[in-house]
Amino acid sequence: MLNDNNGTPYSRIFIFYFDTSFSWDQRNIYLQWLNTEGPISLHNDLCGKVVVLDFFTYCCINCLHLLPDLHALESQYSDKDGLIIVGIHSAKFPNEKVLDNIRSAVLRYNIVHPVVNDADATLWHELEVSCWPTLVILGPRGNMLFSLVGEGHREKLFLFTSITLKFYKERGQIKDNNIGIKLYRDSLPPSPLLFPGKVTVDNSGERLVIADTGHHRILVTRKNGQILHTIGGPNSGRRDGRFSEAAFNSPQGIAIKNNVIYVADTENHLIRKIDLELEVVTTVAGIGIQGVDKEGGAKGEEQPISSPWDVAFGNSRTQEDDVLWIAMAGTHQVWALMLEDGKLPKGSDLKKGVCLRFAGSGNEENRNNAYPHKAGFAQPSGLSLASEEPWNCLFVADSESSTVRTISLKDGAVKHLVGGERDPLNLFAFGDVDGAGINAKLQHPLGVTWDKKRKLLYVADSYNHKIKVVDPKMKNCATLAGTGEASNVIGSSFTQSTFNEPGGLCVEENGRLMYVADTNNHQIKVLDFETKILSMLPILNPEECDVTDNLHVQKDKIRNLPKLPKSAPNVQLPSLTVTPGQTIQFLLKLTLPSDSKLNDEAPNSWFITAEDNTWLLQGQCLSGEIKEISCQTIIPFQLPKSCLSAEAILAIKVCLYYCSKGSGACMMKGISFSQPLQIASTNQGSLTQVELIHSF
């Protein structure tokens, strides 16, 4: 099921033939381009080319299903052969109109052809496009030839393209000139994570599992970020076997129990199983190509599935955790994989290994119903289970309807919780509004997680760049963290911190910490519910840590932190009395000379060292950026719960690069603040603030 730019549902396929000319050149000055050296002119650059225009919006699963077809087409025909593919990004959500967000999507989905930001849907309306995705094929004079609406037309696309190229080549109308391509991905620096989609924590709270989606791998880390296992990556593929051999393609959802991890291997259309003891990856559902079956019922490895986006352990009516629930985004449904023999609500007995639809008709809509097969979802992308009474349900982040829904595990009834509106066909009821039930508004939420301790649900409200909290009893939804701005502010309070399209989240069993996959910032963020401070999880390779008595101490020689100038002053701070586990919040206030300004292009940063007391850092690499000199930077630090000494010294070091406004001369300056600590046994409070003030 497709939707037009006004929300009207479509399910038909159209092929239109035209012999009229189209040109965007008169408005090209207003269009923003990606993956090119500059704006592309239809009259000059694309004259003599067969052009495939892909009208898409990056939230749309149907649009994502077209990308493999386009990749294959541009692999077979290049601009030398006379073919050019141009992505026309016509946004559904306001967040998708922002060029930086489209740029991230272009990298995330490995789009290597030119893309233009049709933010105001100008080209959409001029070509009378009605729904996503739509392909329009232009001839070498800019003449419109035909249009394909929807997904699943690979054979027609290749047939029409080859015939068109042959037709115009025989008439000498095809040119073999190159188009100036400049890929955004080629300018990116290396990063420990690339577009992490989901994160989860095991019951002990000691191990995290991260879907490092852009690197096509799964990471298992300690809670300090030290990598225990790297499974798959860095390139996409489809392969079972040992960890060093296994390959994934843009994995998203993950669920861990004991030493077994299940993975939604999204672009492979598979469910994979990782055995941490045997260090082996196997396939348990899917056949490796996109399925169109909306019923299921076959053995997992024989059952085609479509773009699984999240997974969660659950229970049937007979035992606990004998079902793996799957958010099947590609068919707008929730499926079940039987891990043991059992029975689903309103279902018959099922054998181990069977994979089938549990809820959702397959129509893309926001329809609630007491009968799960008659309900309708719109690209479900996040799942979380609340097994306790009175909830006993699955929470579903239904991204395209911008709602959170529930599925009863007693009878399968699908109900509304927050967001959206009452019309089941209106998938444009989105926004950023705190409130209750239908009065609350979300924008394309991708993740949910249940907090057993507080009986609350947390939502990754992805396109609002926020984390929201829902009280399911009162159906009240409120902002917990994030300002609504796509940015990357860490080391501050929840409400001052920022995210960029967070895609997944989880809460540890004891309720102290929440981990968030901050997708477009390529980070895992950590929210501490006791201190109300947000920090970043460092990702540490095994060789970066020594293991001594279970204490993971980072080696100074490979710390990769900036070095202070020899002339950097050292400010001695008064001794501070603290207790194990206490949080210190350092408030950094710096002043530059009056005729100077911060060099925004340089790596202005702070970092914490403890040369003689490395146990204080617990193996972490504590550092952060300094983006604004006009306001204070908040630097959080938490003492270990088990301290090895009654006295210790921390050093908070700062490196700044600034330039004179008059002469233009630039310089690097540094400062070190030494903070002596007296570690007492009596309680000193949960949070202490220390001001770090210096004028350069």
Side-chain angles (χ1 to χ4, degrees):
M1 179 68 72
L2 309 172
N3 283 275
D4 70 5
N5 208 271
N6 297 311
T8 306
Y10 279 80
S11 59
R12 293 173 288 175
I13 298 171
F14 301 92
I15 303 176
F16 295 119
Y17 293 87
F18 304 93
D19 194 22
T20 56
S21 293
F22 158 74
S23 176
W24 60 52
D25 288 356
Q26 63 267 31
R27 64 184 63 82
N28 207 15
I29 190 172
Y30 304 111
L31 298 176
Q32 300 168 311
W33 288 84
L34 295 169
N35 279 349
T36 67
E37 294 175 347
I40 290 178
S41 164
L42 187 65
H43 178 70
N44 296 320
D45 301 305
L46 300 183
C47 180
K49 303 289 187 185
V50 172
V51 182
V52 177
L53 302 179
D54 173 28
F55 283 86
F56 77 110
T57 184
Y58 72 78
C59 69
C60 164
I61 194 69
N62 309 95
C63 302
L64 301 185
H65 288 164
L66 266 189
L67 293 179
D69 296 348
L70 297 178
H71 283 315
L73 188 66
E74 57 197 349
S75 295
Q76 184 166 334
Y77 302 105
S78 68
D79 54 357
K80 284 285 188 183
D81 299 312
L83 178 72
I84 292 293
I85 298 174
V86 177
I88 312 292
H89 190 274
S90 303
K92 171 183 176 179
F93 293 98
N95 180 69
E96 295 178 302
K97 296 182 179 183
V98 180
L99 186 67
D100 282 345
N101 298 338
I102 302 171
R103 182 182 286 114
S104 292
V106 164
L107 176 65
R108 189 159 68 240
Y109 299 120
N110 194 30
I111 298 173
V112 295
H113 49 254
V115 173
V116 62
N117 181 11
D118 187 25
D120 297 322
T122 306
L123 304 178
W124 170 287
H125 291 302
E126 178 149 341
L127 279 173
E128 298 182 357
V129 174
S130 59
C131 53
W132 300 283
T134 293
L135 298 178
V136 176
I137 290 82
L138 305 179
R141 303 187 311 276
N143 50 314
M144 293 180 283
L145 300 176
F146 51 87
S147 171
L148 295 169
V149 177
E151 60 177 288
H153 308 311
R154 181 178 177 131
E155 291 183 5
K156 291 186 179 70
L157 175 63
F158 274 74
L159 176 63
F160 294 155
T161 302
S162 63
I163 290 174
T164 302
L165 286 170
K166 183 175 184 293
F167 177 84
Y168 285 111
K169 278 180 180 177
E170 289 175 350
R171 285 154 181 77
Q173 297 182 33
I174 295 295
K175 296 181 180 179
D176 64 354
N177 58 299
N178 290 322
I179 303 299
I181 300 294
K182 183 180 180 181
L183 298 182
Y184 167 55
R185 69 182 185 186
D186 295 337
S187 63
L188 277 181
S191 171
L193 299 175
L194 187 64
F195 299 109
K198 303 287 185 183
V199 61
T200 193
V201 61
D202 70 3
N203 288 339
S204 71
E206 296 302 316
R207 290 183 301 181
L208 295 176
V209 184
I210 302 167
D212 189 9
T213 308
H215 286 139
H216 309 286
R217 65 181 183 174
I218 303 298
L219 297 181
V220 182
T221 75
R222 287 192 171 93
K223 65 184 302 181
N224 68 351
Q226 182 192 355
I227 297 174
L228 298 172
H229 300 284
T230 299
I231 310 154
N235 300 314
S236 63
R238 176 197 167 195
R239 191 165 52 250
D240 289 342
R242 307 290 299 176
F243 285 2
S244 58
E245 305 166 339
F248 301 85
N249 192 349
S250 300
Q252 288 281 346
I254 39 183
I256 182 172
K257 185 179 182 183
N258 300 325
N259 284 312
V260 174
I261 301 169
Y262 286 90
V263 181
D265 192 5
T266 304
E267 293 192 22
N268 273 329
H269 309 286
L270 298 174
I271 302 297
R272 315 288 290 281
K273 178 183 177 181
I274 298 173
D275 189 315
L276 294 177
E277 289 187 349
L278 299 177
E279 297 194 352
V280 168
V281 177
T282 55
T283 296
V284 294
I287 62 173
I289 59 175
Q290 182 192 342
V292 295
D293 184 0
K294 296 182 180 179
E295 296 289 338
K299 194 81 169 175
E301 312 93 284
E302 302 169 359
Q303 176 61 57
I305 60 176
S306 178
S307 297
W309 210 273
D310 202 8
V311 289
F313 285 113
N315 57 290
S316 70
R317 294 186 294 176
T318 54
Q319 3 181 352
E320 289 191 359
D321 290 349
D322 60 348
V323 177
L324 186 74
W325 303 107
I326 307 168
M328 204 69 76
T331 56
H332 313 292
Q333 296 171 314
V334 174
W335 283 45
L337 173 66
M338 303 303 297
L339 304 179
E340 301 291 343
D341 294 352
K343 181 182 289 190
L344 299 179
K346 290 189 176 180
S348 56
D349 291 336
L350 297 167
K351 293 293 184 181
K352 177 180 178 180
V354 169
C355 187
L356 75 168
R357 176 265 302 260
F358 174 57
S361 63
N363 295 330
E364 187 177 8
E365 54 189 11
N366 175 21
R367 189 178 299 278
N368 301 301
N369 201 292
Y371 296 91
H373 289 184
K374 293 185 178 181
F377 294 91
Q379 210 170 302
S381 302
L383 296 176
S384 188
L385 180 77
S387 57
E388 59 267 47
E389 297 293 345
W391 295 278
N392 195 17
C393 70
L394 270 175
F395 293 103
V396 182
D398 199 36
S399 61
E400 282 294 287
S401 68
S402 296
T403 63
V404 175
R405 324 269 289 280
T406 63
I407 306 176
S408 170
L409 296 184
K410 291 182 179 179
D411 57 17
V414 177
K415 298 180 181 179
H416 169 269
L417 185 60
V418 294
E421 68 143 86
R422 290 182 176 85
D423 180 358
L425 298 182
N426 183 5
L427 303 183
F428 284 71
F430 50 78
D432 184 7
V433 180
D434 292 350
I438 216 160
N439 294 319
K441 291 291 178 279
L442 308 169
Q443 189 183 176
H444 198 75
L446 288 174
V448 284
T449 190
W450 177 244
D451 184 342
K452 296 179 182 178
K453 178 180 179 181
R454 300 174 183 85
K455 312 302 180 190
L456 295 172
L457 183 74
Y458 300 104
V459 182
D461 193 3
S462 305
Y463 286 5
N464 283 324
H465 315 290
K466 288 183 175 183
I467 305 302
K468 293 188 176 176
V469 56
V470 177
D471 180 348
K473 199 170 184 180
M474 305 301 294
K475 290 192 172 184
N476 190 61
C477 178
T479 298
L480 173 74
T483 64
E485 176 189 359
S487 185
N488 188 23
V489 175
I490 59 176
S492 58
S493 66
F494 288 0
T495 53
Q496 293 175 321
S497 301
T498 59
F499 305 88
N500 193 339
E501 292 191 14
L505 69 178
C506 65
V507 177
E508 62 179 2
E509 192 82 7
N510 64 15
R512 167 73 187 265
L513 301 176
M514 179 194 292
Y515 299 92
V516 177
D518 194 8
T519 304
N520 282 1
N521 279 327
H522 317 295
Q523 295 172 349
I524 302 299
K525 299 281 180 63
V526 186
L527 285 73
D528 189 319
F529 283 105
E530 289 189 12
T531 65
K532 306 296 182 185
I533 298 296
L534 181 145
S535 59
M536 184 189 76
L537 179 75
I539 303 299
L540 307 171
N541 289 318
E543 63 270 15
E544 292 182 273
C545 297
D546 287 331
V547 180
T548 307
D549 298 327
N550 294 322
L551 187 65
H552 313 294
V553 182
Q554 192 165 359
K555 296 180 180 179
D556 287 343
K557 65 180 180 180
I558 56 172
R559 191 182 297 273
N560 197 28
L561 294 174
K563 296 192 180 299
L564 296 185
K566 292 182 179 180
S567 60
N570 182 27
V571 177
Q572 294 287 335
L573 300 170
S575 181
L576 185 66
T577 302
V578 292
T579 51
Q582 185 176 346
T583 295
I584 308 170
Q585 195 177 80
F586 294 102
L587 308 178
L588 184 63
K589 301 179 180 179
L590 304 174
T591 306
L592 296 177
S594 58
D595 63 340
S596 300
K597 64 176 182 178
L598 202 64
N599 185 346
D600 295 331
E601 303 297 322
N604 302 293
S605 59
W606 59 264
F607 55 98
I608 297 179
T609 63
E611 280 78 2
D612 298 323
N613 310 103
T614 51
W615 56 269
L616 278 171
L617 303 183
Q618 305 178 81
Q620 299 181 76
C621 184
L622 301 176
S623 62
E625 293 180 89
I626 298 176
K627 293 188 175 181
E628 293 287 343
I629 201 71
S630 58
C631 56
Q632 70 179 17
T633 299
I634 301 175
I635 303 173
F637 175 80
Q638 184 179 19
L639 271 78
K641 293 182 179 179
S642 177
C643 293
L644 303 184
S645 173
E647 296 182 353
I649 297 179
L650 275 180
I652 301 90
K653 301 182 179 182
V654 179
C655 282
L656 288 186
Y657 298 79
Y658 61 90
C659 305
S660 169
K661 295 178 183 178
S663 65
C666 295
M667 60 199 77
M668 172 190 176
K669 292 286 187 178
I671 184 170
S672 177
F673 297 90
S674 292
Q675 177 62 74
L677 301 175
Q678 297 289 331
I679 302 170
S681 57
T682 56
N683 191 0
Q684 302 295 320
S686 60
L687 177 66
T688 296
Q689 291 186 329
V690 177
E691 288 190 335
L692 308 178
I693 302 174
H694 181 74
S695 295
F696 289 98

